[in-house]
Amino acid sequence: MTTVEKTFFLNRIARPYFAHLQAHRDSLLARIYGVYSVRIAGHEDVHMMLMANTLQVTPDRVQHVFDLKGSTVDRMVK
């Protein structure tokens, strides 16, 4: 995630997102466990969002899987 995305999430989305999950414990929204930044000398910071696996069903019940991150590179699944 970019610095702009991280800042936007933390400043605009995080509070209502977590309030929603508290109020709606059975929500199908993906669970976000945290947002982290890694700093390595000589490199730009890397920002990551740690999320729960959203595929909570058995494979025999899955008909289609979609990756909605935007890129079409190496995004094909069986």
Side-chain angles (χ1 to χ4, degrees):
M1 88 188 319
T2 66
T3 300
V4 171
E5 291 168 333
K6 180 188 108 178
T7 302
F8 183 79
F9 176 78
L10 293 175
N11 293 336
R12 302 281 304 277
I13 296 174
R15 279 186 201 266
Y17 166 82
F18 289 112
H20 175 84
L21 290 180
Q22 285 290 331
H24 308 280
R25 296 202 180 265
D26 292 332
S27 173
L28 296 177
L29 288 177
R31 298 300 193 265
I32 296 172
Y33 294 139
V35 176
Y36 303 92
S37 296
V38 177
R39 180 173 291 159
I40 300 172
H43 298 277
E44 290 186 32
D45 291 356
V46 176
H47 309 293
M48 298 172 277
M49 180 179 288
L50 180 62
M51 301 172 70
N53 185 344
T54 57
L55 293 177
Q56 301 292 324
V57 295
T58 58
D60 60 309
R61 299 202 49 201
V62 175
Q63 294 179 359
H64 303 282
V65 176
F66 298 93
D67 188 334
L68 304 177
K69 293 180 190 75
S71 174
T72 59
V73 178
D74 294 327
R75 298 288 185 181
M76 299 300 291
V77 296
K78 292 182 181 179

